[in-house]
């Protein structure tokens, strides 16, 4: 499937198996990427201004790809 998909992962506070699980999620689409936000926790992805900006940018990137009918950049 080529629907745009971005998996956003916090780099801190995860189990050892979590990164591989997130990588697997990103394989659900051939038009995907996996963004790991450095020094972020799950909560900081929406509580910290810088980390939330990264998560918000991922959403904007997916919306742009859908609207333009182009692959993720």
């Amino acid at each position: 499937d080529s629907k745009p998909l971005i998996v956003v992962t916090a780099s801190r506070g995860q189990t050892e198996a979590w990164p591989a699980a997130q990588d697997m999620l990103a394989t659900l689409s051939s038009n995907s990427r996996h963004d790991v936000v450095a020094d972020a926790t799950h909560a900081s992805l929406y509580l910290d201004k810088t980390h939330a900006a990264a998560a918000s940018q991922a959403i904007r990137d997916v919306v742009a790809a859908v609207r333009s009918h182009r692959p993720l950049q």
Side-chain angles (χ1 to χ4, degrees), residues 12-73:
R12 294 185 5 206
Q14 310 302 338
T15 65
E16 190 173 308
W18 192 250
Q22 297 292 80
D23 285 341
M24 186 172 287
L25 280 177
T27 68
L28 293 173
S29 174
S30 59
N31 181 19
S32 67
R33 72 176 197 238
H34 182 187
D35 293 353
V36 179
V37 181
D39 297 319
T41 64
H42 184 80
S44 76
L45 288 173
Y46 60 90
L47 294 174
D48 178 273
K49 189 174 185 176
T50 301
H51 299 163
S56 297
Q57 185 61 55
I59 294 167
R60 286 190 296 272
D61 290 350
V62 168
V63 170
V66 169
R67 287 181 176 165
S68 68
H69 303 284
R70 293 178 185 232
L72 287 167
Q73 297 295 318

